[in-house]
Amino acid sequence: MLKWNAEVIILQQKMFSKLLAQEIFVNPDVRKEIPKYREKFLSAQPFKHVVIDNFLSPQMSEKVLEEFPSFNTKKAMNELGYVAGKAVNENLGSISPTYNKLASYLESFDFLRLVESITNIKGLITDYTFFGGGTHENLHGQELDPHVDFNYDERNGYHRRLNLIIYLNKEWQSEWGGCLDLHSNPRSPETDQVISFLPTFNRCAIFETNEYSWHGFRKIQLPENKRHLSRKSLSIYLYSKDRPPEEIVAPHATFYISRWLPERIQPGIVLSEEDFNEIRVLMKRRDDMIEFYQNRELETNAYIQGLREEIKKVT
């Protein structure tokens, strides 16, 4: 696969100049407030982040929602190998004409320099394949355990630096779950500090990706008369060729922490059938994740052993 490079980016800039003149992608008001957003990003806890409302222009945000792809079970396979309630469409350019133009804009100088100005992270690069990103749709009952994302694109040798998520839900309430949760340390629920944001329409969350940028969302629990709704978002991951040496660790995949027992389950209570079923689901998920990590270690070790055998043959 070809690597992104300066020549490609310069060519893109020329190609998109006419496009940028015809379409307004980002709300002009966002640019006026860049210093404010940069200050919020750099000072945020538990890790650097900022939330920007009305991020896309009104016309663009409406088009993106109107042309959002329908849920496709073929795109809902999770890490454990079975169909879940989350569909991911990475191929933005194939969804519709609007998404095709938006995908091109997300690779442009204009977009990358805007995000660099907000975050102070220079040399950002968009993954033109939108691996793991694109449109995300989550149905009733779906949740996302706290996790830190994979840190390195081995295809091109780039460091993952930022997640940028644009939410597309015109109707959402906090009691429905599905809020973006940023965690200080989900491994220690007694001291874990969590900041939550509603996934409301045209709200953009930008946060750094590192070894402690734990995030996820709690189970979506829609009222029966609202289950025609789903949690819709557009996810973009940004990279750079380098990153500060103190932040560099060995390449790794996404690390998940299985969610702890809900707060209502305390010593001395009588378990209801709902409580029992939730405990059973959480235990099954934890067992599945342990099996997943075991299988991945076995596959990696088998690959390493195979390399050793090949080296023995030629030495």
Side-chain angles (χ1 to χ4, degrees):
M1 182 177 293
L2 292 175
K3 289 189 175 184
W4 303 300
N5 54 49
E7 292 180 359
V8 172
I9 294 176
I10 291 172
L11 178 61
Q12 288 174 343
Q13 185 183 30
K14 294 178 179 178
M15 290 172 57
F16 301 148
S17 60
K18 293 183 180 179
L19 174 67
L20 298 178
Q22 297 171 359
E23 295 278 358
I24 299 177
F25 292 88
V26 174
N27 190 329
D29 291 340
V30 172
R31 301 180 190 276
K32 299 176 184 177
E33 301 288 348
I34 285 176
K36 179 184 74 173
Y37 294 133
R38 180 168 55 244
E39 182 180 355
K40 288 187 175 182
F41 178 87
L42 295 175
S43 62
Q45 295 295 331
F47 47 85
K48 294 176 184 176
H49 71 272
V50 66
V51 172
I52 303 173
D53 288 326
N54 302 312
F55 183 76
L56 297 175
S57 69
Q59 183 179 17
M60 182 57 58
S61 60
E62 293 290 346
K63 285 184 178 180
V64 169
L65 176 58
E66 180 183 345
E67 299 175 20
F68 196 91
S70 58
F71 191 90
N72 184 346
T73 56
K74 293 181 180 179
K75 298 183 180 297
M77 192 75 70
N78 66 14
E79 290 89 344
L80 301 179
Y82 56 82
V83 175
K86 174 184 177 181
V88 177
N89 194 323
E90 298 173 332
N91 192 354
L92 286 184
S94 68
I95 294 174
S96 72
T98 295
Y99 276 92
N100 183 268
K101 289 187 289 186
L102 180 60
S104 296
Y105 174 71
L106 295 175
E107 299 177 54
S108 71
F109 260 25
D110 185 75
F111 173 72
L112 294 173
R113 297 303 88 83
L114 171 67
V115 181
E116 287 181 356
S117 298
I118 292 172
T119 64
N120 258 13
I121 299 176
K122 306 303 180 184
L124 291 177
I125 304 167
T126 303
D127 172 12
Y128 66 91
T129 69
F130 297 98
F131 175 74
T135 62
H136 288 188
E137 182 174 14
N138 292 271
L139 305 181
H140 170 77
Q142 185 68 16
E143 60 186 314
L144 183 60
D145 283 337
H147 63 283
V148 291
D149 294 304
F150 68 87
N151 65 337
Y152 194 70
D153 180 356
E154 295 186 281
R155 302 168 302 170
N156 295 283
Y158 292 145
H159 298 274
R160 183 167 172 175
R161 304 301 302 279
L162 293 169
N163 286 2
L164 188 151
I165 307 173
I166 302 171
Y167 296 102
L168 299 168
N169 309 293
K170 287 197 171 184
E171 184 180 1
W172 206 267
Q173 299 180 20
S174 58
E175 56 265 31
W176 296 353
C179 295
L180 172 65
D181 291 338
L182 307 182
H183 296 257
S184 62
N185 184 6
R187 288 194 172 103
S188 179
E190 296 84 3
T191 58
D192 186 25
Q193 298 180 3
V194 184
I195 298 176
S196 297
F197 300 99
L198 276 172
T200 53
F201 182 69
N202 206 9
R203 169 170 283 177
C204 174
I206 306 173
F207 56 91
E208 64 179 351
T209 53
N210 52 35
E211 301 313 302
Y212 55 89
S213 56
W214 296 99
H215 60 283
F217 62 82
R218 301 176 195 183
K219 183 184 294 185
I220 299 171
Q221 296 180 305
L222 296 167
E224 287 192 19
N225 64 338
K226 297 293 184 180
R227 292 184 185 173
H228 59 284
L229 300 176
S230 60
R231 183 185 187 272
K232 298 179 177 66
S233 62
L234 175 63
S235 293
I236 300 104
Y237 308 143
L238 299 175
Y239 300 78
S240 65
K241 292 182 179 180
D242 302 296
R243 74 182 307 157
E246 66 272 15
E247 295 184 7
I248 296 176
V249 300
H252 63 74
T254 300
F255 294 145
Y256 291 91
I257 298 293
S258 296
R259 198 174 296 281
W260 285 69
L261 294 174
E263 293 181 1
R264 70 175 187 274
I265 298 179
Q266 297 291 335
I269 72 164
V270 177
L271 294 180
S272 65
E273 183 176 356
E274 179 186 0
D275 294 335
F276 174 78
N277 289 334
E278 183 156 5
I279 292 172
R280 183 166 58 182
V281 167
L282 290 173
M283 292 180 66
K284 175 66 163 58
R285 182 182 304 152
R286 182 161 298 186
D287 288 343
D288 287 345
M289 192 56 63
I290 291 172
E291 182 180 11
F292 170 74
Y293 286 130
Q294 287 175 334
N295 289 336
R296 190 165 68 185
E297 181 175 353
L298 290 172
E299 291 172 3
T300 301
N301 288 341
Y303 176 73
I304 293 173
Q305 184 62 34
L307 290 178
R308 288 172 176 163
E309 295 299 328
E310 292 297 323
I311 292 172
K312 288 180 180 179
K313 292 178 183 179
V314 299
T315 57

